[in-house]
Amino acid sequence: MISPSVRSLKNMASLMVRKRELFSLARILSGVSYLGPASLSVCSGHRKCNITRFHLPLTPSTSFHTTVLTSAAQSAITVTEEPDTLFQKLVVLVKGHDRAVLDSYEFFATMTAKELGISLGKVFEPPKDIERLTLLKSIHIFKKHRVQYEMRTHYRCIELHHITGCTAQVYLEYIQRNLPEGVAMEVTKTAMEKVPDHILEPMWKEIPTDDKPSQ
Amino acid sequence: MAASLSSIGNVRVLSALAWSSSLCSFSGSRGLHVTVSCCKNRAARIRVGKGDKPVTYEQAHHPHHIGHRKGWLSQHTSNLKGEDGAAERTVEDVFIRRFMFGTFHGCLANEIVIKRRGNLLNVCAVMLQKLPPQKFYFLIGYTESLLSHFYKCPVKLEIQTLQDKIVYKYL
């Protein structure tokens, strides 16, 4: 026979769980679609429910729920008349200490590009850089006894071809929000510009009369 | 800091040991073995003893296992090639570790993991259940607000609690 206080606690716990699930669902279905579900885990957290009225069981819990201020970022879609910049090539170079982390990040970035319909170029791994230091092992003397440290930097290069400015902005923002800690990124963009009108035609075609007096 | 000792240093040390020991035997001295005080590496190692000292996974593995059997305790980008700010991050890390050790005195089960993601400083720790949860909540909030005001960046604390320390082996 369950006591009424425990039953009410159980009901409240199930209600709280349902509230949290609804909350996360609402965020996913709202207009923040391009951010993706992965970044929501970074921005949002568990909402602290008002449990002050109930007697919490004093059994120690294994993890602590702390509040995170969830700011509702309204994505404003602006439509402008000016033409979008076109990028011939977008090179994303990621650097890190751990090869496994870079492997998983490369899988994530290539999957994102495929889902968004961006044409992928080369995805390759430049050779790693090792920076070695040879230091004295002891603080005072013993010059013959040294200690060697090394710092390894692994790279991963992802190239995207023929991408518009808006797509590039969205893709890069999504990629950068989900960059793991300890990983740095460098982006190189090669933009395409229209050839200026004054150099489309060669200059000597316009002035034919000047040739005769010089001869 | 991502660091691993290479094997070249050890080979050099062993050859130096062999040379010094061979010298002593040549001179015919009466058992006075003069050894260099730092022949073996002693950094971040717990020496093998009687077998009664409980040791966690982190403590049991030596620094040259970082990247192979161990992970990194402090993750930031300033040690990569072409990035700067390593000294500042290291000083911040040292301060944060001492601060956490002092604030949650006797409650830390394992080393603190510090992760930096953009501007956000994420401090992950595993604690023992020595204090009641209300005190834990207060200490977490106090640490977060104090460190964010001190470092002028958002600081998040991720705490997990255990009943007692997990022992990997006894040395």
Side-chain angles (χ1 to χ4, degrees):
Chain A
M1 176 67 177
I2 312 168
S3 61
S5 60
V6 176
R7 202 188 294 146
S8 63
L9 262 176
K10 278 192 183 170
N11 288 340
M12 271 312 294
S14 59
L15 266 174
M16 283 182 325
V17 164
R18 266 178 235 150
K19 261 193 216 166
R20 258 183 242 152
E21 282 169 359
L22 279 171
F23 183 63
S24 57
L25 260 177
R27 289 227 61 178
I28 289 166
L29 293 171
S30 69
V32 209
S33 55
Y34 72 87
L35 278 180
S39 64
L40 284 176
S41 59
V42 176
C43 309
S44 70
H46 304 288
R47 190 175 254 190
K48 199 180 193 177
C49 307
N50 293 330
I51 325 170
T52 47
R53 289 182 208 158
F54 298 87
H55 287 294
L56 262 182
L58 284 175
T59 52
S61 56
T62 48
S63 67
F64 287 91
H65 298 286
T66 47
T67 46
V68 173
L69 292 169
T70 55
S71 56
Q74 300 294 325
S75 60
I77 301 167
T78 51
V79 180
T80 47
E81 290 301 321
E82 63 196 37
D84 206 357
T85 42
L86 300 168
F87 294 113
Q88 194 177 55
K89 207 165 64 158
L90 192 78
V91 177
V92 174
L93 177 76
V94 266
K95 308 189 264 194
H97 286 301
D98 201 353
R99 257 192 102 207
V101 167
L102 290 179
D103 282 338
S104 76
Y105 190 72
E106 172 210 320
F107 174 71
F108 161 73
T110 46
M111 196 170 71
T112 318
K114 269 180 226 160
E115 292 294 321
L116 289 176
I118 301 170
S119 53
L120 270 177
K122 287 188 290 176
V123 177
F124 63 101
E125 188 185 352
K128 63 177 187 275
D129 278 323
I130 305 179
E131 191 189 328
R132 290 200 179 96
L133 305 165
T134 312
L135 308 170
L136 295 173
K137 198 191 275 193
S138 173
I139 46 167
H140 184 43
I141 39 174
F142 307 118
K143 189 66 174 249
K144 288 183 215 159
H145 303 96
R146 314 246 181 152
V147 130
Q148 287 187 317
Y149 295 108
E150 65 180 29
M151 287 181 276
R152 296 183 182 178
T153 308
H154 300 271
Y155 299 99
R156 211 50 72 98
C157 196
I158 301 164
E159 284 183 19
L160 310 166
H161 293 297
H162 303 304
I163 188 171
T164 56
C166 298
T167 322
Q169 199 185 5
V170 165
Y171 178 76
L172 285 175
E173 192 178 334
Y174 183 53
I175 290 287
Q176 282 158 14
R177 273 182 194 253
N178 290 303
L179 203 64
E181 45 280 314
V183 170
M185 197 204 293
E186 280 175 8
V187 176
T188 317
K189 294 180 190 172
T190 314
M192 290 200 282
E193 273 187 8
K194 194 169 181 301
V195 178
D197 289 331
H198 62 270
I199 61 168
L200 271 176
E201 294 291 321
M203 270 190 71
W204 53 80
K205 280 193 185 171
E206 288 171 1
I207 319 162
T209 51
D210 284 349
D211 291 340
K212 285 175 190 172
S214 66
Q215 285 172 356
Chain B
M1 185 176 142
S4 59
L5 296 168
S6 76
S7 57
I8 303 168
N10 291 336
V11 168
R12 233 186 258 170
V13 160
L14 286 172
S15 62
L17 238 187
W19 186 75
S20 65
S21 60
S22 65
L23 253 191
C24 289
S25 62
F26 265 132
S27 59
S29 59
R30 244 196 314 159
L32 180 70
H33 188 62
V34 179
T35 53
V36 172
S37 66
C38 52
C39 290
K40 289 207 185 289
N41 292 325
R42 299 200 71 93
R45 281 154 224 264
I46 295 186
R47 298 274 143 186
V48 173
K50 296 276 181 186
D52 54 350
K53 216 174 5 179
V55 136
T56 58
Y57 186 88
E58 191 73 42
Q59 291 165 332
H61 287 87
H62 297 163
H64 60 266
H65 288 131
I66 291 174
H68 305 278
R69 295 184 207 173
K70 274 168 86 162
W72 281 268
L73 284 179
S74 157
Q75 289 168 353
H76 53 275
T77 59
S78 50
N79 278 323
L80 295 167
K81 186 148 188 162
E83 309 282 337
D84 51 358
E88 286 97 28
R89 304 291 97 76
T90 317
V91 169
E92 282 169 23
D93 283 352
V94 169
F95 176 80
I96 289 168
R97 278 174 216 280
R98 287 198 187 184
F99 184 83
M100 295 289 290
F101 181 73
T103 321
F104 298 91
H105 190 77
C107 295
L108 290 176
N110 211 345
E111 297 284 337
I112 288 157
V113 174
I114 301 175
K115 298 181 186 179
R116 282 183 180 82
R117 249 192 175 191
N119 201 19
L120 182 67
L121 194 73
N122 219 335
V123 181
C124 314
V126 183
M127 308 264 177
L128 303 171
Q129 288 159 2
K130 278 193 171 179
L131 301 172
Q134 287 83 10
K135 289 199 180 173
F136 257 123
Y137 278 123
F138 169 74
L139 284 176
I140 289 167
Y142 155 79
T143 315
E144 281 189 359
S145 48
L146 198 79
L147 286 177
S148 3
H149 278 283
F150 191 62
Y151 285 124
K152 309 281 185 282
C153 65
V155 175
K156 256 170 62 168
L157 227 63
E158 269 157 40
I159 309 280
Q160 266 196 317
T161 51
L162 295 170
Q163 284 288 336
D164 43 52
K165 278 192 190 183
I166 293 176
V167 179
Y168 176 66
K169 59 180 176 182
Y170 289 91
L171 285 180

